Amino acid sequence: MKFINDLVNRLDSVLRVVLAVMMAALVVDVTWQVLTRFILPQPSSFTEEVARFLLIWVSLLGGAYAYREQSHLGFNLLVRNMSLKNQVRIHKFSCVLVAIFAILVLIIGGSNLVYLTWLLGQHSPVLDVPMAFVYTVIPASGLLFLLYSLHFFLQNPLTNTSPESNDE
């Protein structure tokens, strides 16, 4: 358990920095796109594609990080009115469901997508970046979701959540 906690804490630190850098790059990219479109006579041709790819990466990695921080929307009115034993069962069941989704859809499905686009040699039209590289974030975020759900499954949900975080 200590190994998983240390790994999750290190990943959180790295993920925060990566997300902050990508969000800053996205802001700079979109700002440059607007400036070149309305001020300069020749609009930038690559900024739209860069923004799209950054948005894909930020969305998927940010979704995994939001799951880790338990910031996703939740409706826990029914769960709060259950017994403590049933609350733990529901928590563990939801961790299992997230793990199944992460394995089947994100890891297996995402890996198949990456493999297929690599085999077909699909490249982006403007930047000529292999689309397999862009899509690698899908299985990567699936691994993060899987690790975080395992982490949540192994810890006691009642001692690790503050009362303020349950008022969503």
Side-chain angles (χ1 to χ4, degrees), residues 67 88-100 149 153:
Y67 176 64
V88 171
R89 285 181 183 159
I90 292 291
H91 172 76
K92 293 201 183 280
F93 179 68
S94 69
C95 291
V96 169
L97 288 179
V98 168
I100 290 170
S149 65
F153 185 85

Side-chain angles (χ1 to χ4, degrees), residues 8-168:
V8 165
N9 289 335
R10 280 192 220 115
L11 274 174
D12 288 347
S13 300
V14 170
L15 199 52
R16 271 193 297 273
V17 170
V18 167
L19 286 169
V21 168
M22 288 193 319
M23 281 299 297
L26 185 59
V27 168
V28 169
D29 179 66
V30 171
T31 303
W32 180 252
Q33 182 179 22
V34 170
L35 288 175
T36 59
R37 181 173 292 158
F38 293 112
I39 294 176
L40 300 178
Q42 183 73 347
S44 181
S45 61
F46 69 91
T47 53
E48 182 182 343
E49 201 165 89
V50 169
R52 189 175 336 134
F53 296 160
L54 282 171
L55 190 61
I56 291 169
W57 277 67
V58 166
S59 298
L60 288 165
L61 292 178
Y65 186 71
Y67 176 64
R68 164 66 175 119
E69 294 294 315
Q70 298 177 348
S71 298
H72 278 281
L73 290 175
F75 184 73
N76 59 6
L77 179 65
L78 296 174
V79 175
R80 282 191 299 187
N81 292 327
M82 293 180 175
S83 67
L84 293 178
K85 187 177 180 181
N86 285 338
Q87 286 183 25
V88 171
R89 285 181 183 159
I90 292 291
H91 172 76
K92 293 201 183 280
F93 179 68
S94 69
C95 291
V96 169
L97 288 179
V98 168
I100 290 170
F101 179 82
I103 291 169
L104 294 178
V105 175
L106 297 173
I107 297 172
I108 294 173
S111 297
N112 287 338
L113 177 65
V114 170
Y115 178 69
L116 183 63
T117 55
W118 185 261
L119 272 181
L120 296 175
Q122 185 180 2
H123 286 74
S124 67
V126 177
L127 297 174
D128 198 37
V129 174
M131 290 304 292
F133 172 72
V134 176
Y135 295 146
T136 55
V137 72
I138 299 170
S141 67
L143 289 172
L144 288 171
F145 272 107
L146 182 61
L147 177 68
Y148 292 147
S149 65
L150 176 66
H151 174 71
F152 290 144
F153 185 85
L154 294 176
Q155 60 182 200
N156 184 354
L158 303 175
T159 60
N160 291 323
T161 52
S162 63
E164 296 82 22
S165 67
N166 288 335
D167 292 336
E168 297 173 32

